[in-house]
Amino acid sequence: RFDEYELRLYEAPPSDPVATFGDLLAARFTPLDTPSRGDRVLTLNLWWDVLDAPTLDYSYGLHLRPVDAGTISQQDAALVSTDGVPTSGGRPGPYPVHTQIAFTVPTGLEPGDYGLWLTVYHFQDAPGGLGVSGVSVPQQDTFIQVGTITIGGG
C-alpha cells in the first residue's frame, strides 16, 4: 500500500543539435514554454551532448534583446545539469545532459518582439563566449537564438 505517489514527466530531447559550443558541447532545446497572461517566467529546456570532456566549469548567459538594439536584460549562471553536475563533470556518451533554465521577463518592456539569446563561456574569457559552429538557428557572434517573445500593448 502506498500513501503517496510521485509523478515525474520525462521529456525526450530534440533529435538534432542546433549548435556546437567550442567543439565541446552540442546544444539542443525545445521551444520556450509559453507563459500564461501575467506570468513573466519562461522555461528553457536545454540538452547538451558532451563531445569532448570539458576541463572547465562553464556558465551560460541568456540575453533578452529587442530586434533593433542590444541586450536589455540578462541572466548568467553556472551551466549545470538538472542534478547539479557542472560541465567539468560531463563525459562523452550516448545520453545528453539536461539543463532547465527559468528566465524572468522584466516588467515595463515596450510592446514588440524580443529575442532570447544563449551563449556559453568561462568566467575568465568573459565577455566573449565559446566559438559556435554547426548552427541551424539565428546566430550573432557567440550567441544563438533560443526563442522569441512578443510583448503586447495595453
Side-chain angles (χ1 to χ4, degrees):
R1 172 181 134 120
F2 294 99
D3 293 322
E4 294 181 26
Y5 296 94
E6 182 175 319
L7 178 64
R8 292 184 180 206
L9 175 64
Y10 291 97
E11 184 175 0
S15 59
D16 297 317
V18 297
T20 299
F21 289 90
D23 296 326
L24 296 172
L25 304 168
R28 311 167 188 218
F29 62 90
T30 55
L32 290 172
D33 290 345
T34 304
S36 59
R37 187 171 182 86
D39 186 6
R40 297 181 11 245
V41 178
L42 300 172
T43 301
L44 178 64
N45 282 296
L46 296 168
W47 285 267
W48 303 95
D49 292 315
V50 179
L51 305 176
D52 192 10
T55 58
L56 300 173
D57 290 327
Y58 289 95
S59 297
Y60 72 86
L62 204 53
H63 292 221
L64 186 65
R65 300 176 176 172
V67 173
D68 58 354
T71 299
I72 59 169
S73 179
Q74 77 182 62
Q75 173 178 309
D76 294 80
L79 182 59
V80 297
S81 67
T82 51
D83 55 356
V85 177
T87 52
S88 63
R91 298 293 173 257
Y95 304 107
V97 177
H98 180 241
T99 301
Q100 190 171 63
I101 300 170
F103 181 83
T104 302
V105 177
T107 58
L109 294 176
E110 294 292 322
D113 291 331
Y114 295 81
L116 198 57
W117 296 83
L118 174 74
T119 189
V120 175
Y121 65 93
H122 186 260
F123 76 95
Q124 292 178 324
D125 299 330
L130 291 175
V132 183
S133 62
V135 180
S136 63
V137 294
Q139 174 186 0
Q140 291 179 354
D141 300 318
T142 61
F143 288 83
I144 62 168
Q145 188 172 12
V146 295
T148 301
I149 63 169
T150 300
I151 303 296

